[in-house]
Amino acid sequence: MAGLPLLLVLAVTALVGIGVAVVRRSPPSREGSVAAARRHATTASVGAVAAGVLAALVVPFSDGSWGTGEPASGGRELMLVPLAFGIAHTVVLTVGELTWPRPAGQVRRARLVRRGPLDAAPAGLVRSAGAAVVLAVLTVVVGALVADGDGRGISRSGELWARSSGPFPGWFYGGPALAGLALLVALVGAALWVVATRAAVLTADDRIEAALRSASAHRVLRGATAAVLLLAGGLLGVAGTAAHSLGSGPTPSPLGPVGAAVAVLGLACVAAGLVVLCRRAPGVPADQPVPA
Amino acid sequence: MALDITVDVASPTPPFEQIRSQIAGYVRGGLLAPGDRLPTMRALAADLGVAVGTVARAYGELEAGGLVTSRRRTGTVVTGQPARPPAGDRVRAAADALVRTAREDGVDDDAVLAVVRAALAGVPTG
């Protein structure tokens, strides 16, 4: 049941996110096309969170313990929980963008502007996503370099002593994490491209169309960034705890305080991931009343 | 300046021609400058609710007309307006001179237009 606290944290975060969304909801839109687009976006967003939570619940049982009533005891499956959430969340959001309401009516209008994949994405979230990916990759690489040969622990020895500690995020944990991370990054790139090329919302106010597209990119980046931060935080937390354990005791070494600092950094990453997950997407400006 | 493309799917003019003519008009009118990038075919098709092939045909015709060029990395880019025939410049200069003369002589715009129409119809104006 080691994954229960993580799932509990995800559930509480989801509830906080829903609460924030309900309390700070934009006023209803009067334009039919805008209202339909907002309904579609809400459905896709709720579906993405539900799919993400479902994937996060299923992954701990992926070692074959499904049906036994006991979640997997392996740390590798637990480590993949945030990535499973991020991947499922991104896939459902992409499907939502692919099925975005198409223009209808006899006369269609389009703005002659070129949209790049990152044009609509909030710059701060893009930077956060990039930093989170770099941090996760660095953690995996450094972990693989300093871990034992089996990639599951860390050990140090002196002339008269030898100590080992684990679990430690070596290649045993880092390999699947890196593969999942690469898949998530590719999916996010594809999702942002779909967001940029999907149909515009027909509205008299360009700010509304820009806000809806920005909100779509925000949702994609928000889930993925939170997933990567939770992954990096988990890896750093485990690595720091193992290093701290190794550096403490009868033969203290600088590894102890370094490990403690790494563990604190991991906790900070987890907290940052939860904050990102609760960040509200850009609101839609109030539109003009449609003449009767 | 934001430019719009409008397509009437019930019009007898095919949608690709409507797209082509509007973009060509923007280029010839100087509203799209050389180097300006057009939307991707997929994005413009999605915005207009038409097939990607429709936009691809419009872009192809524009490229054949020398108004745009397609590059692998940058997409479809405005190359500039094709050289205007010399006669066009001469007529424009004559029209400018006509308007100047009319202003100097206090002739109003309706009278100027009537003179031009008469000249076009071959009626002696002197």
Side-chain angles (χ1 to χ4, degrees), chain A residues 117-150:
Chain A
L118 293 180
D119 289 352
L125 215 40
V126 173
R127 282 194 295 271
S128 302
V133 169
V134 169
L135 181 64
V137 171
L138 273 178
T139 306
V140 168
V141 170
V142 173
L145 288 175
V146 301
D148 290 342
D150 65 356

Side-chain angles (χ1 to χ4, degrees), chain A residues 16-286:
Chain A
V16 169
I18 292 168
V20 169
V22 168
V23 170
R24 298 183 58 195
R25 195 168 49 174
S26 298
S29 301
R30 298 182 182 90
E31 284 185 284
S33 58
V34 178
R38 287 181 62 181
R39 269 197 308 275
H40 186 86
T42 304
T43 305
S45 180
V46 170
V49 171
V53 170
L54 192 65
L57 288 171
V58 167
V59 162
F61 297 96
S62 62
D63 67 339
S65 60
W66 184 262
T68 63
E70 289 295 321
S73 55
R76 198 152 62 166
E77 288 77 15
L78 291 175
M79 177 203 67
L80 291 175
V81 164
L83 283 178
F85 172 86
I87 289 169
H89 184 264
T90 307
V91 166
V92 173
L93 283 179
T94 307
V95 171
E97 295 298 319
L98 286 169
T99 54
W100 194 261
R102 286 172 61 83
Q106 184 180 320
V107 179
R108 285 93 182 265
R109 182 169 51 84
R111 188 124 292 182
L112 202 61
V113 289
R114 189 178 181 87
R115 299 187 294 260
L118 293 180
D119 289 352
L125 215 40
V126 173
R127 282 194 295 271
S128 302
V133 169
V134 169
L135 181 64
V137 171
L138 273 178
T139 306
V140 168
V141 170
V142 173
L145 288 175
V146 301
D148 290 342
D150 65 356
R152 308 174 72 156
I154 182 171
S155 50
R156 291 290 177 268
S157 58
E159 287 181 12
L160 298 172
W161 57 273
R163 296 192 69 191
S164 62
S165 180
F168 186 83
W171 191 244
F172 178 78
Y173 298 100
L178 215 52
L181 194 60
L183 178 61
L184 181 60
V185 168
L187 286 172
V188 167
L192 290 177
W193 181 78
V194 172
V195 167
T197 56
R198 69 138 160 85
V201 178
L202 191 61
T203 166
D205 190 345
D206 284 345
R207 294 175 309 148
I208 293 177
E209 150 60 17
L212 284 168
R213 204 177 292 277
S214 179
S216 292
H218 178 101
R219 280 189 289 272
V220 170
L221 285 170
R222 177 177 61 188
T225 305
V228 178
L229 280 171
L230 288 173
L231 171 73
L235 292 175
L236 285 169
V238 170
T241 306
H244 178 68
S245 168
L246 198 64
S248 310
T251 52
S253 77
L255 214 52
V258 169
V262 170
V264 169
L265 178 63
L267 274 177
C269 282
V270 170
L274 297 179
V275 168
V276 167
L277 201 56
C278 290
R279 269 187 68 180
R280 182 175 171 268
V284 178

Side-chain angles (χ1 to χ4, degrees), chain B residues 92-114:
Chain B
R92 195 167 285 104
D96 290 342
L98 173 65
V99 171
R100 267 198 310 275
T101 307
R103 297 274 184 274
E104 287 166 8
D105 293 354
V107 179
D108 65 22
D109 291 354
D110 288 340
V112 174
L113 289 172

Side-chain angles (χ1 to χ4, degrees), chain B residues 2-45:
Chain B
L3 303 173
D4 284 345
I5 294 286
T6 307
V7 167
D8 183 350
V9 292
S11 165
T13 307
F16 86 86
E17 175 55 26
Q18 296 180 46
I19 297 169
R20 187 207 66 77
S21 62
Q22 288 173 72
I23 295 176
Y26 289 143
V27 175
R28 292 202 178 97
L31 296 172
L32 283 174
D36 284 352
R37 298 168 73 189
L38 296 183
T40 62
M41 294 176 197
R42 187 174 294 275
L44 186 56

